[in-house]
């Protein structure tokens, strides 16, 4: 764990420059706007360790798969979000001395992420070996109101010298991904040039053919006056620059404004990218940096009004949850149904920027509750539109008759993950797709989605499960063999309890959904039968048989569900027996040793109990929690949040709070020693769940909202708001009561600690409650 950041409830601050912290800070202070993202790389040259990263949503490259032993069914590529041409670069020279923080004496350093306004601030004084110094102050943002625009204000003051100074504000197209399998470069340069005040580069990705234009405009002022020096413009293959040469006096401030437009062929015709970028710059220049910033801040003010969580009495917890919400809001805005959410968002290259089951299991509820239902619907449609690819994926593994296996990792719907124990065995991901449909409908009441899209997906998923099981003559039940559950520290196991549970639940939910559509939309039902070549009598009989006769491993003496067959044969060591210097174990132990241990990476049995807690009484939940949580290392970012929610349900405030700090500050304090690779964006949605469903105790029960709060000892109050079936409801929880206020006039039925109340219009409902 690394704690070097400070700040307040709205800011993350780094107040001393230490190069060993810089890779982490590049991740933590990253900016994004749904269309693109930029790691917090320095604008000026930095010759120390750095992951230069600028990423564009939906722009990827099929990097050739690299494995030691090829297996049938492996994808031929691993999709990677592409490190795109850089736009932030500024080189500063005093005579022959270049401004390079890695090679200079740096003092008065401050890097601040203002989460309320979405602006990255930086300031420092840097001295060359000869003693001459400069003072620098910067602001940077990616516009949320003009999503193809980035802006920098760079102010430099010579502290103790006068003389020649030069600055080169440039675009760089010769970039590579740090983690490319064969060190291949993914871009081919297409063109470069200038157009009036603007300079630009165009590039095309190899193989996938995405075209991108990065264009810039620059202005300079001295001591607040309009610029009097025009830059020299240079344009060549993969590089464009505006160069300023001037004589400076000690104490005077030179200010450069750099605006960049980034357009892609995903959004515009390829032959119009340069013109579109220049038009965008033209409009932005007329608006001006200050008004562009105001637009951007206004967007964030509106977003915080509906998504903020306020925790009174605990700065660390407050800062942590806002940091998580900030990254969620700037990573995915819901404006483009072709996009999804990568585990690292725009903050790094690990996991390739692809879509995982994280979206359905953890992210969907955040967007359901904080944005218009259309945004969450788009996340479901992303999978629906890739159904044909999911069926193709299943065919490659030997499945037939329209069975679908959604990919573990994807950009286009095609599987692009190449670890056999994940690609072939972590099939529980299919269940998360089905659960997301259910979760969306119960929250929004939008059953039309089931009619129009959802049922087709459910049929394909159930066909997969019906083929994936086999009948065990010794058990006289159906079993599911050779799988990896959510706990990836176990591979190739038989009858993973969670996988069997989510499979059976999917079959039953599909059967219910068939009945609903047949009854309420008979014409559409017949269309689906024809489209999917569905045989209702034969296939549903098979599904009912599997659902009714699937084996679930358990230990009746201990009163627990077994994570998988044979789990108790392992030496039962607990997580607190692992020395701190050996954590995380995946960075210190051999994989063989991990597989032989009883240690758990993340919630597995408890994941199933979390999804389907209404199926289990409190004693069953308690026994399983008490058995599995002490064996869980929480070395997956997705682990602590589930345990927070269950601990809160069990009224264990201290345990819930301890795990909440771990999930909310996972990246800020670098619990897993890996944040330099990027932040854990999808687990940030789990952090939101840990507050709302954990400490807020929110559930949807019988189509109504339910609350059963539990506040940690240090919290004086908890405030948040949610969208539920078209109504925005604001909630204030204190030690003595819960208060709810609806934004519109319709009545809402609310359950609080198993009592039913009616929330009438905009009138606050106050209920005495000891939280």
């Amino acid at each position: 764990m690394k704690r070097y950041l400070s700040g307040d409830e709205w800011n993350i601050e780094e107040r001393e420059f230490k190069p060993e912290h810089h890779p982490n800070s590049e991740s933590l202070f990253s900016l994004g706007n749904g269309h693109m993202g930029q790691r917090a790389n320095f604008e000026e040259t930095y010759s120390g360790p750095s992951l230069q990263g600028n990423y564009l949503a939906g722009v990827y490259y099929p990097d050739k798969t690299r494995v030691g032993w090829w297996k049938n069914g492996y994808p031929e590529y691993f999709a990677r979000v592409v490190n795109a041409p850089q736009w932030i670069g500024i080189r500063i020279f005093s005579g022959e001395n270049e401004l390079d923080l890695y090679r200079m004496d740096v003092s008065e350093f401050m890097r601040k992420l203002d989460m309320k306004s979405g602006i990255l601030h930086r300031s420092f004084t840097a001295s060359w070996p000869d003693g001459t110094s400069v003072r620098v102050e910067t602001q940077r943002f990616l516009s949320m109101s003009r999503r193809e625009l980035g802006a920098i204000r760079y102010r430099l003051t010579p502290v103790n010298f006068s003389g020649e100074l030069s600055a080169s504000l440039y675009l760089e197209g010769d970039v590579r991904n740090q983690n490319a399998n064969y060190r291949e470069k993914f871009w081919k340069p297409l063109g470069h040039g200038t157009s009036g005040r603007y300079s630009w580069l165009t590039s095309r990705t190899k193989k996938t053919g995405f075209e991108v234009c990065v264009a810039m405009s620059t202005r300079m002022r001295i001591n607040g006056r309009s610029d009097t020096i025009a830059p020299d413009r240079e344009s060549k293959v993969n590089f464009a620059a505006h160069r300023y040469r001037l004589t400076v006096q000690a104490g005077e401030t030179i200010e450069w404004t750099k605006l960049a437009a980034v357009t892609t062929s995903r959004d515009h015709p390829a032959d119009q990218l340069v013109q579109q970028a220049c038009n965008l710059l033209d409009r932005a220049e007329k608006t001006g940096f200050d008004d562009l910033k105001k637009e951007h801040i206004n967007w964030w003010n509106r977003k915080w009004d509906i998504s903020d969580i306020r925790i009174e009495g605990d700065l660390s917890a407050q800062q942590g949850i806002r940091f998580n919400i900030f990254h969620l809001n700037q990573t995915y805005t819901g404006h483009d149904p072709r996009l999804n959410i990568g585990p690292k968002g725009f903050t790094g290259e690990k996991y390739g920027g692809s879509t995982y089951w994280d979206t359905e299991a953890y992210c969907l509820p955040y967007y359901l509750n904080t944005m218009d239902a259309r945004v969450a619907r788009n996340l479901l449609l992303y999978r629906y539109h890739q159904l044909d690819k999911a069926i193709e994926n299943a065919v490659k593994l030997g499945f037939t008759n329209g069975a679908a296996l959604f990919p573990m990792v994807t950009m286009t719907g095609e599987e692009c993950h190449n670890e056999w124990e994940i690609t072939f065995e972590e099939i529980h991901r299919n269940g998360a797709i089905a659960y997301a449909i259910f979760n969306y409908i119960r929250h929004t009441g939008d059953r039309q989605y089931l009619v129009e899209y959802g049922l087709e997906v459910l049929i394909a998923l159930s066909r997969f499960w019906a083929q994936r099981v086999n009948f065990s003559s010794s058990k006289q039940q159906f079993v599911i063999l050779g799988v990896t559950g959510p706990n990836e520290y176990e591979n190739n196991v038989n009858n993973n309890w969670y996988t069997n549970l989510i499979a059976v639940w999917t079959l039953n939910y599909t059967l219910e959904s068939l009945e609903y559509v047949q009854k309420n939309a008979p014409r559409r039902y017949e269309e689906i039968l024809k489209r999917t070549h569905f045989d209702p009598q034969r296939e549903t009989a098979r599904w009912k048989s599997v659902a009714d006769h699937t084996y679930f491993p358990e230990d009746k003496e201990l009163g627990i569900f077994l994570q998988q067959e044979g789990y108790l044969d392992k030496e039962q060591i607990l997580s607190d027996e692992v020395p701190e210097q050996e954590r995380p174990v995946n960075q210190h132990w051999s994989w063989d040793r991990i597989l032989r241990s009883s240690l758990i990476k993340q919630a597995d049995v408890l994941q199933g109990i979390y999804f389907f807690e209404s199926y289990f009484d409190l004693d069953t939940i308690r026994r399983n929690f008490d058995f599995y949580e002490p064996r869980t290392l929480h070395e997956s970012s997705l682990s602590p949040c589930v345990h927070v929610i269950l601990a809160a349900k069990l009224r264990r405030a201290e345990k819930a709070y301890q795990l909440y700090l771990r999930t909310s500050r996972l990246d800020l304090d670098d619990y897993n020693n890996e944040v330099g690779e990027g932040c854990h964006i999808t687990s940030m949605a789990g952090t939101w769940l840990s507050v709302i469903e954990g400490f807020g105790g929110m559930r949807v029960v019988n189509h109504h909202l339910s609350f059963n709060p539990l506040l940690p000892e240090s919290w004086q109050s908890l405030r948040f708001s949610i969208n539920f079936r078209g109504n925005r409801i604001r909630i204030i929880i204190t030690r003595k009561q819960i208060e709810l206020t609806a934004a519109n006039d319709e009545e809402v039925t609310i359950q609080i600690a198993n009592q039913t109340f009616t929330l009438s219009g905009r009138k606050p409902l106050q209920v005495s409650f000891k939280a």
Side-chain angles (χ1 to χ4, degrees):
M1 189 164 61
K2 298 185 183 76
R3 287 187 174 173
Y4 66 94
L5 301 172
S6 57
D8 57 35
E9 62 182 28
W10 281 110
N11 297 290
I12 309 297
E13 292 186 22
E14 183 180 7
R15 295 178 178 170
E16 181 182 10
F17 182 63
K18 292 187 176 180
E20 63 268 27
H21 293 156
H22 184 57
N24 281 19
S25 294
E26 288 183 320
S27 297
L28 294 168
F29 292 83
S30 295
L31 297 176
N33 65 2
H35 171 70
M36 58 183 174
Q38 173 68 55
R39 281 173 63 84
N41 310 124
F42 293 155
E43 288 90 357
E44 61 276 344
T45 297
Y46 183 74
S47 58
S50 171
L51 170 56
Q52 295 290 318
N54 174 38
Y55 309 108
L56 306 177
V59 176
Y60 73 97
Y61 180 81
D63 198 10
K64 185 172 174 57
T65 290
R66 188 172 186 173
V67 294
W69 180 18
W70 193 270
K71 297 177 177 64
N72 288 334
Y74 266 170
E76 295 188 0
Y77 69 92
F78 182 81
R80 298 191 185 280
V81 62
V82 178
N83 193 358
Q86 296 290 321
W87 62 272
I88 66 170
I90 300 176
R91 297 186 71 182
I92 303 290
F93 288 87
S94 172
E96 297 297 320
N97 295 323
E98 182 171 13
L99 181 58
D100 179 349
L101 268 62
Y102 190 65
R103 301 186 182 280
M104 299 175 69
D105 181 38
V106 180
S107 61
E108 302 176 282
F109 179 88
M110 185 277 294
R111 174 162 33 189
K112 181 175 75 173
L113 177 62
D114 180 344
M115 298 181 290
K116 192 170 187 177
S117 63
I119 296 174
L120 175 62
H121 299 264
R122 204 160 49 93
S123 61
F124 60 87
T125 299
S127 301
W128 285 283
D130 64 5
T132 57
S133 301
V134 291
R135 179 70 182 164
V136 172
E137 297 178 357
T138 74
Q139 294 181 39
R140 182 161 90 211
F141 64 91
L142 293 179
S143 175
M144 297 301 271
S145 55
R146 308 186 188 200
R147 65 190 184 92
E148 296 171 315
L149 185 74
I152 296 170
R153 173 171 281 168
Y154 195 95
R155 288 175 172 157
L156 182 146
T157 304
V159 174
N160 57 2
F161 71 95
S162 302
E164 298 299 316
L165 189 79
S166 66
S168 175
L169 285 66
Y170 65 91
L171 307 173
E172 173 63 68
D174 188 17
V175 296
R176 69 166 70 239
N177 276 52
Q178 188 180 73
N179 63 357
N181 274 338
Y182 293 91
R183 304 299 297 161
E184 182 181 2
K185 292 184 178 180
F186 300 156
W187 291 100
K188 177 182 178 182
L190 290 182
H192 55 87
T194 60
S195 178
R197 295 179 56 85
Y198 314 132
S199 295
W200 50 268
L201 301 175
T202 54
S203 306
R204 179 191 294 133
T205 57
K206 300 175 183 177
K207 298 183 181 179
T208 46
F210 294 107
E211 293 193 19
V212 170
C213 174
V214 181
M216 69 172 173
S217 69
T218 65
R219 288 184 181 272
M220 188 187 77
R221 298 195 302 176
I222 300 177
N223 287 338
R225 302 189 305 270
S226 297
D227 59 324
T228 56
I229 301 175
D232 295 325
R233 291 180 174 83
E234 177 187 355
S235 174
K236 61 182 180 180
V237 173
N238 271 333
F239 186 80
H242 292 181
R243 303 188 190 277
Y244 293 85
R245 294 176 175 85
L246 61 156
T247 300
V248 298
Q249 302 298 317
E252 68 180 5
T253 298
I254 303 94
E255 175 186 290
W256 289 278
T257 299
K258 183 177 185 181
L259 302 179
V262 183
T263 55
T264 81
S265 57
R266 295 183 73 258
D267 304 300
H268 306 284
D271 61 356
Q272 296 180 21
L273 293 182
V274 174
Q275 187 61 51
Q276 291 287 347
C278 291
N279 290 345
L280 177 61
L281 289 174
D282 189 55
R283 293 191 296 272
E285 282 216 325
K286 290 175 181 176
T287 303
F289 183 92
D290 290 328
D291 285 339
L292 289 170
K293 187 168 73 169
K294 287 178 183 177
E295 288 179 3
H296 174 74
I297 292 173
N298 287 338
W299 188 98
W300 274 107
N301 286 339
R302 293 190 298 271
K303 181 58 65 173
W304 282 116
D305 182 59
I306 61 176
S307 64
D308 190 24
I309 291 175
R310 295 175 58 189
I311 298 170
E312 185 182 7
D314 190 335
L315 174 60
S316 184
Q318 177 67 85
Q319 185 189 56
I321 190 60
R322 280 190 174 138
F323 177 75
N324 286 262
I325 293 171
F326 173 78
H327 274 287
L328 288 167
N329 284 338
Q330 68 173 4
T331 298
Y332 182 78
T333 60
H335 69 270
D336 188 341
R338 299 169 297 172
L339 299 178
N340 209 282
I341 306 155
K344 296 294 183 184
F346 296 120
T347 70
E349 297 172 9
K350 191 175 181 181
Y351 303 119
S354 301
T355 298
Y356 286 63
W357 71 294
D358 306 21
T359 292
E360 285 75 24
Y362 298 93
C363 298
L364 182 73
Y366 174 77
Y367 297 99
L368 267 175
N369 282 279
T370 64
M371 297 186 186
D372 184 90
R374 172 188 55 82
V375 174
R377 206 174 202 258
N378 280 346
L379 288 174
L380 298 185
L381 286 171
Y382 179 87
R383 296 292 193 178
Y384 173 79
H385 292 312
Q386 294 179 354
L387 179 58
D388 288 346
K389 286 289 186 182
I391 292 171
E392 288 180 20
N393 293 335
V395 168
K396 293 175 184 177
L397 302 184
F399 294 86
T400 61
N401 191 38
L405 176 60
F406 280 89
M408 187 66 187
V409 177
T410 193
M411 285 287 189
T412 65
E414 187 174 31
E415 178 66 74
C416 57
H417 193 279
N418 51 33
E419 296 175 72
W420 65 270
E421 66 274 17
I422 306 299
T423 308
F424 302 153
E425 296 194 340
E426 201 163 337
I427 55 176
H428 67 81
R429 60 193 187 251
N430 253 10
I433 309 295
Y435 187 82
I437 296 171
F438 159 77
N439 205 13
Y440 168 81
I441 292 172
R442 73 169 172 175
H443 195 93
T444 64
D446 179 13
R447 287 185 173 271
Q448 191 61 26
Y449 181 83
L450 184 68
V451 174
E452 295 178 6
Y453 306 106
L455 183 57
E456 286 185 58
V457 175
L458 292 171
I459 289 172
L461 295 174
S462 290
R463 283 170 163 171
F464 171 84
W465 290 121
Q467 294 178 43
R468 186 58 173 79
V469 302
N470 60 276
F471 190 76
S472 165
S473 57
S474 62
K475 290 183 173 64
Q476 286 295 295
Q477 288 179 288
F478 290 98
V479 295
I480 304 179
L481 308 179
V483 302
T484 296
N487 172 26
E488 293 173 340
Y489 287 174
E490 298 274 9
N491 303 144
N492 200 33
V493 302
N494 294 334
N495 292 308
N496 171 259
W497 183 85
Y498 171 77
T499 302
N500 288 18
L501 177 67
I502 201 80
V504 166
W505 176 85
T506 300
L507 291 167
N508 283 326
Y509 182 56
T510 306
L511 290 168
E512 294 173 14
S513 299
L514 282 164
E515 291 182 7
Y516 176 84
V517 176
Q518 183 179 25
K519 179 180 178 180
N520 294 279
R523 181 175 299 178
R524 174 60 178 155
Y525 177 77
E526 292 300 325
E527 290 176 0
I528 292 172
L529 296 190
K530 184 176 181 180
R531 178 180 172 85
T532 61
H533 306 287
F534 187 69
D535 183 339
Q537 185 173 356
R538 179 181 60 81
E539 294 194 63
T540 59
R542 167 71 174 179
W543 296 355
K544 289 175 184 176
S545 178
V546 172
D548 291 343
H549 301 96
T550 290
Y551 172 71
F552 290 94
E554 61 180 308
D555 186 286
K556 294 186 178 179
E557 184 175 338
L558 293 174
I560 62 168
F561 307 120
L562 287 182
Q563 185 175 267
Q564 72 266 349
E565 285 190 278
Y567 179 78
L568 291 180
D569 293 337
K570 296 170 177 285
E571 180 185 2
Q572 295 298 307
I573 63 173
L574 305 182
S575 62
D576 61 11
E577 297 175 42
V578 180
E580 192 65 34
Q581 63 269 24
E582 295 182 17
R583 295 168 180 251
V585 297
N586 61 29
Q587 297 178 21
H588 294 89
W589 288 14
S590 71
W591 199 249
D592 169 70
R593 184 180 178 189
I594 291 173
L595 291 176
R596 289 186 288 108
S597 79
S598 62
L599 296 171
I600 299 170
K601 182 182 180 185
Q602 70 186 81
D604 196 305
V605 167
L606 297 182
Q607 181 76 41
I609 290 176
Y610 161 62
F611 273 171
F612 306 110
E613 66 174 36
S614 62
Y615 293 6
F616 312 106
D617 60 42
L618 207 59
D619 285 340
T620 299
I621 296 173
R622 182 180 297 108
R623 287 193 303 271
N624 281 277
F625 185 90
D626 288 346
F627 182 81
Y628 284 109
E629 196 283 327
R631 290 161 171 78
T632 303
L633 292 164
H634 300 294
E635 290 180 357
S636 164
S637 65
L638 300 173
S639 183
C641 60
V642 172
H643 293 80
V644 171
I645 296 165
L646 294 179
K649 182 178 180 63
L650 295 171
R651 318 309 285 175
R652 296 180 182 176
E654 182 57 34
K655 170 60 77 172
Y657 179 69
Q658 170 195 342
L659 289 168
Y660 165 75
L661 286 182
R662 183 181 180 106
T663 185
S664 69
R665 300 190 66 86
L666 176 73
D667 292 318
L668 286 175
D669 296 336
D670 198 12
Y671 273 87
N672 288 349
N673 195 32
E674 59 183 9
V675 78
E677 300 172 337
C679 295
H680 296 83
I681 303 301
T682 52
S683 83
M684 291 175 172
T687 301
W688 182 90
L689 285 169
S690 71
V691 176
I692 304 304
E693 296 187 5
F695 301 120
M698 189 194 83
R699 303 288 192 276
V700 178
V701 179
N702 296 325
H703 309 290
H704 301 301
L705 280 178
S706 172
F707 296 90
N708 191 22
L710 176 73
L711 293 186
E713 184 177 350
S714 60
W715 294 14
Q716 298 169 26
S717 67
L718 170 64
R719 299 167 183 247
F720 58 91
S721 61
I722 60 168
N723 282 332
F724 184 72
R725 304 199 173 189
N727 203 340
R728 173 148 294 276
I729 301 171
R730 296 187 183 272
I731 300 99
I732 304 173
I733 301 168
T734 66
R735 291 283 171 196
K736 297 181 180 180
Q737 71 173 22
I738 179 170
E739 177 181 302
L740 301 96
T741 308
N744 62 31
D745 293 327
E746 64 185 67
E747 291 188 346
V748 181
T749 299
I750 302 287
Q751 289 184 343
I752 300 174
N754 298 320
Q755 297 184 63
T756 301
F757 301 88
T758 299
L759 182 61
S760 301
R762 296 177 171 87
K763 182 180 179 182
L765 169 68
Q766 296 178 337
V767 178
S768 295
F769 184 89
K770 187 177 180 180

